[in-house]
Structures are given as structure tokens and as C-alpha cells.
């Protein structure tokens, strides 16, 4: 199916062709990094056209959506949204897991009632760029992910009632923040991005990937008392009108189709998207084309995907290096500062091969699947700053 955007960017409907964006500018495994809010101005050396131009690159690859994770409410985000809008990109912002697990008053310490922690953060987000002067949402912002993989991280697959309580109470807080800010239009969609794991403790579909989590979350949205929560807002209306399911997957299109799609289409009305998609065990060109065909099929509820991921995560190392389609080159295009620490905006190296398809890079696979015009990465790495 195609996603209509409520007069956002344009009235044209389109399949989600996204790229997951977390361009940590370090090359050493295990090295720590002070802040991962890549929407903030601290990182405009990476995404702005006056810097490395990552948003322009993402658009040239054929993408129409960029998904982010970190979210520091102390920082302004409007200029990032403006820059994305200039390139015709929708933005999927994350709330980060900070208010859930890392903050001094994290809701993991209050039996996963996340209302107040998330209300405060989202209120700050609305004031720092998510809203325009007329109090409508910025037109580039399409989705806000409430939490990423709560079934893996907070509080885990064995506690579906608790992760459902965390999600619905967080959404309740976000709805209250909207009311306080008198938000008046272009409303975003909300999502909670699950893993593609099976939830054996869930009440149904407990051997099917992601489906059990979504089933229990829907039940909690429609009747919050099932998870011991009393909402301040109409969660049923928010779920039915403004919620899209999502999950992250390392499985190929054939598995998505047989293990998830058929059951989802029969059980759920809501559209869904795949927040991270990359099956490194198969050739990417064919698999990406296959998953896009599933999204184009009007009988499915799949909005599209976000390819995982833009840049190699050197700081993670190990098997995580298999996912990034771009490496960091040896030339620094400019330096910038984060928390008074110097970092380099390294040029990008697109010579990352698809290990299952001789002579093809991951970038080429994405361009083919997304119908992009391409980008000359050599020009960036040959640039002489002098």
C-alpha cells in the first residue's frame, strides 16, 4: 500500500524507501561516543549540504525516508527537519531509550509507568523543532517511534505486560504533551518497533516473530486495564487513528512473507513498516527488490522499509559490521565538536561489497531497489580541503 502524508511534503502517496541513519564518526571498536542525537546541530557537518551532505546522498540513493534513533530534548531539531524537507525526505524520529532505562528517574525504576518521563521529554521535543510556528507538526516529520525493541531491551520478551505498559503509558504522556502544546495539525503517526523475535510469554502468536508482541500491544491499547494502567487520554482513538506497527528484521523477504505477512494481514487492520531491514545472509539486490514488491502489493499492509544501515558501526564491531553500506574513508572533509571533543567528518567509502553477489556493492543494491540516480562517492574522498 502507499502512505498518504496528510499534506506533508506533497499530496503524492509513495512506498516508504527508508535508510536507518546513525553515522557515529569513529572507527575504533569499543570507543565511546558522547551523544547519538544526530538530528541536532552538533552533527550538521555530517548531514547538511554545507558539510558531508548525508541527507543529499540518502535522497540520491533513491530513498524518501530517513530513520533516526537518538533524541536529546535539550537540542534543537528544526534545522535537521528543514534540511530533510529540502531533499524531499520524510523523517522517522526516535524517542531514544533514555527515559525508559537510562535517565536518573527512568521508568524502569517505577514499574514501567513511563507517562511522566516521556511527557516531559516529548514536551521539550515539541518546543525544539517538532512543531512549526502555527503549532502544527513539521511537515517532514512522519513518524515518532516511542521505543526501539522494548521486547529485547526494556524490559524484555519474557515480560509482555510490562513492555506493553511502558509503550502505552509513554504514548499517553506524548498525547498529554500534545494537548499542553495545543498541537493543531499535520499529526504524526506513532509506532513501537519490536524485534523479530518470538514472544513465548505473549497471549497469542507466541511462536511467530513479532506478531505476539503486536497482538498484546493492541490489546493493551484497547483496554489499558489489562496491563494495570489507567490512561489520561483516549488510547483507543490514538491507536486506531495514529498508530503504525513496526519491527526490525535480519530475515529475507521470503521469510517476512511466509512467517509474518500472511498472519498479519488476517489479524490486523493497521499498516506496518520494517524499521530496520537487511538480511546479510542473502544477495541484497534480489532481496531488496523482493521486499519492495511486497510493499507495492495493494493486498498487503506493508508501507515499506528502512534499509539498515547508512554507515558501518565500527564502534560495535564484530558481526554488526555486516550491515552498514558505507565505510569511513581516510580523508577528513572537516572537523566538528561534540561535548567539547573533536571529531572528523570522514569521507564516505561506497566500496562495501555484497558478499553474496560478486561485483555488486551494498550501495548499488539499494540504488537498484529504490530507483535512485546514484552518487559519486569518489569525488568526496578525492576532495582536497586545501
Amino acid at each position: 500500500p502507499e502512505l498518504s502524508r496528510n499534506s506533508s511534503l506533497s499530496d503524492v502517496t509513495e512506498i516508504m524507501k527508508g535508510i536507518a541513519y546513525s553515522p557515529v564518526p569513529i572507527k575504533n571498536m569499543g570507543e565511546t561516543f558522547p551523544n547519538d542525537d544526530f538530528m541536532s546541530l552538533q552533527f550538521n557537518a555530517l548531514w547538511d549540504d554545507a558539510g558531508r551532505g548525508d541527507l543529499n546522498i540518502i535522497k540520491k540513493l533513491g530513498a524518501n525516508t530517513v530513520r533516526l534513533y537518538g533524541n536529546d530534548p535539550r537540542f534543537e531539531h528544526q534545522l535537521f527537519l528543514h534540511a530533510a524537507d529540502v531533499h524531499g525526505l520524510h523523517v522517522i524520529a526516535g524517542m531514544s531509550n533514555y527515559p525508559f532505562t537510562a535517565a536518573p528517574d527512568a521508568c524502569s525504576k517505577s514499574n514501567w509507568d513511563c507517562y511522566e518521563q516521556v511527557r516531559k521529554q516529548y514536551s521539550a521535543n515539541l518546543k525544539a523543532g517538532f512543531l512549526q510556528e502555527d503549532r502544527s507538526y513539521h511537515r517532514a516529520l512522519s513518524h515518532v517511534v516511542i521505543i526501539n525493541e522494548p521486547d529485547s531491551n526494556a524490559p524484555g520478551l519474557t515480560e509482555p505486560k510490562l513492555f506493553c505498559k511502558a509503550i502505552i503509558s509513554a504514548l499517553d504522556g506524548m498525547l498529554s504533551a500534545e494537548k499542553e502544546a495545543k498541537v493543531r495539525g499535520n499529526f504524526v503517526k506513532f509506532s513501537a518497533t519490536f524485534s523479530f523475535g518470538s514472544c513465548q510469554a505473549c497471549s497469542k502468536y507466541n511462536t511467530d516473530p513479532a506478531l505476539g508482541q503486536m497482538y498484546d500491544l493492541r490489546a493493551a491499547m484497547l483496554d489499558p486495564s489489562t496491563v494495570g494502567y489507567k490512561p489520561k487520554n483516549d488510547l483507543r482513538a490514538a491507536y486506531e487513528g495514529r498508530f503504525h506497527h513496526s519491527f526490525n528484521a535480519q530475515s529475507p523477504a521470503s521469510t517476512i512473507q511466509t512467517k509474518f505477512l500472511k498472519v498479519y494481514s488476517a489479524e490486523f487492520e493497521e499498516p506496518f513498516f520494517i524499521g530496520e531491514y537487511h538480511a546479510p545472509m542473502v544477495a541484497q539486490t534480489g532481496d531488496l527488490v523482493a521486499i519492495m514488491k511486497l510493499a507495492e502489493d495493494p493486498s498487503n499492509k506493508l508501507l515499506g522499509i528502512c534499509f539498515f544501515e547508512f554507515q558501518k558501526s565500527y564502534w560495535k564491531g564484530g558481526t554488526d559490521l555486516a550491515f552498514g553500506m558505507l565505510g569511513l574513508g581516510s580523508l577528513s572533509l572537516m572537523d566538528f565538536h561534540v561535548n567539547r571533543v573533536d571529531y572528523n567528518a570522514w569521507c564516505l567509502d561506497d566500496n562495501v561489497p555484497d558478499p553474496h553477489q560478486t561485483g555488486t556493492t551494498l550501495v548499488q543494491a539499494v540504488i537498484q531497489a529504490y530507483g535512485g540516480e546514484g552518487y559519486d562517492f569518489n569525488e568526496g574522498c578525492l576532495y582536497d580541503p586545501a
Side-chain angles (χ1 to χ4, degrees):
E2 297 182 337
L3 175 61
S4 178
R5 279 292 314 276
N6 270 345
S7 3
S8 299
L9 292 176
S10 71
D11 292 326
V12 178
T13 56
E14 56 192 344
I15 305 299
M16 181 188 290
K17 300 175 182 178
I19 291 178
Y21 183 68
S22 184
V24 177
I26 55 179
K27 298 181 178 181
N28 301 316
M29 179 178 173
E31 186 175 342
T32 58
F33 192 65
N35 196 292
D36 66 346
D37 183 355
F38 293 104
M39 295 184 290
S40 76
L41 273 176
Q42 295 182 101
F43 299 104
N44 67 341
L46 302 178
W47 47 258
D48 192 72
D49 286 356
R52 190 169 66 190
D54 289 356
L55 291 174
N56 177 51
I57 291 170
I58 287 169
K59 183 64 176 180
K60 296 282 190 184
L61 299 185
N64 57 28
T65 301
V66 56
R67 181 192 176 191
L68 299 101
Y69 301 84
N71 179 342
D72 191 326
R74 298 173 299 175
F75 298 135
E76 171 67 46
H77 297 131
Q78 191 171 72
L79 289 178
F80 179 88
L81 294 172
H82 284 340
D85 190 36
V86 166
H87 291 292
L89 294 170
H90 308 312
V91 175
I92 301 175
M95 287 300 289
S96 90
N97 287 358
Y98 182 80
F100 298 93
T101 58
D105 62 343
C107 57
S108 58
K109 302 172 184 175
S110 57
N111 198 31
W112 299 102
D113 182 339
C114 302
Y115 173 88
E116 186 58 27
Q117 294 89 335
V118 176
R119 185 198 64 80
K120 288 190 296 185
Q121 173 165 330
Y122 202 58
S123 179
N125 284 148
L126 294 175
K127 295 172 184 175
F130 281 17
L131 294 185
Q132 302 176 112
E133 288 185 8
D134 65 357
R135 299 199 302 276
S136 67
Y137 272 101
H138 194 289
R139 68 181 199 162
L141 189 63
S142 65
H143 292 77
V144 177
V145 173
I146 300 166
I147 187 171
N148 187 54
E149 297 195 4
D151 51 336
S152 291
N153 305 311
L157 272 170
T158 60
E159 299 284 357
K161 284 193 173 182
L162 290 182
F163 67 66
C164 288
K165 179 182 177 183
I167 294 166
I168 68 168
S169 60
L171 175 59
D172 198 25
M174 295 164 83
L175 295 172
S176 287
E178 286 186 339
K179 286 183 177 179
E180 293 164 8
K182 297 182 171 60
V183 179
R184 54 185 294 175
N186 200 26
F187 288 95
V188 298
K189 301 295 186 185
F190 295 111
S191 189
T193 305
F194 290 112
S195 74
F196 204 51
S198 300
C199 176
Q200 295 183 4
C202 286
S203 59
K204 193 175 181 181
Y205 302 119
N206 53 14
T207 60
D208 298 307
L211 289 160
Q213 297 92 303
M214 293 176 180
Y215 183 86
D216 279 11
L217 177 59
R218 179 179 64 182
M221 289 279 196
L222 301 181
D223 184 1
S225 68
T226 60
V227 294
Y229 182 72
K230 186 175 182 179
K232 297 174 176 59
N233 298 282
D234 189 344
L235 296 184
R236 173 185 284 269
Y239 176 77
E240 292 178 344
R242 298 181 59 190
F243 194 85
H244 291 161
H245 285 291
S246 59
F247 62 87
N248 299 330
Q250 301 177 23
S251 301
S254 56
T255 300
I256 302 297
Q257 185 172 21
T258 58
K259 299 290 187 182
F260 181 88
L261 194 55
K262 291 180 180 179
V263 177
Y264 187 93
S265 297
E267 179 65 55
F268 293 90
E269 295 296 325
E270 301 74 34
F272 76 95
F273 62 93
I274 305 178
E276 294 176 3
Y277 185 82
H278 187 167
M281 73 291 293
V282 299
Q284 290 305 294
T285 300
D287 190 59
L288 289 173
V289 168
I291 197 70
M292 295 312 297
K293 284 183 177 177
L294 290 177
E296 291 163 4
D297 184 341
S299 68
N300 295 326
K301 297 181 176 71
L302 173 59
L303 296 170
I305 67 167
C306 291
F307 179 82
F308 187 76
E309 58 182 325
F310 180 77
Q311 179 203 295
K312 284 180 174 290
S313 293
Y314 294 97
W315 63 280
K316 294 180 183 177
T319 56
D320 286 294
L321 291 176
F323 294 101
M325 65 175 163
L326 291 164
L328 295 177
S330 57
L331 177 68
S332 174
L333 302 178
M334 62 180 65
D335 57 9
F336 62 99
H337 316 285
V338 181
N339 291 9
R340 296 187 293 276
V341 178
D342 294 337
Y343 292 95
N344 295 297
W346 300 105
C347 71
L348 295 168
D349 178 9
D350 65 328
N351 294 304
V352 179
D354 181 342
H356 301 285
Q357 190 169 353
T358 303
T360 301
T361 65
L362 296 183
V363 165
Q364 289 169 338
V366 170
I367 290 172
Q368 182 168 336
Y370 284 0
E373 63 181 86
Y375 182 83
D376 184 0
F377 291 92
N378 289 329
E379 186 176 344
C381 277
L382 291 174
Y383 170 70
D384 183 357

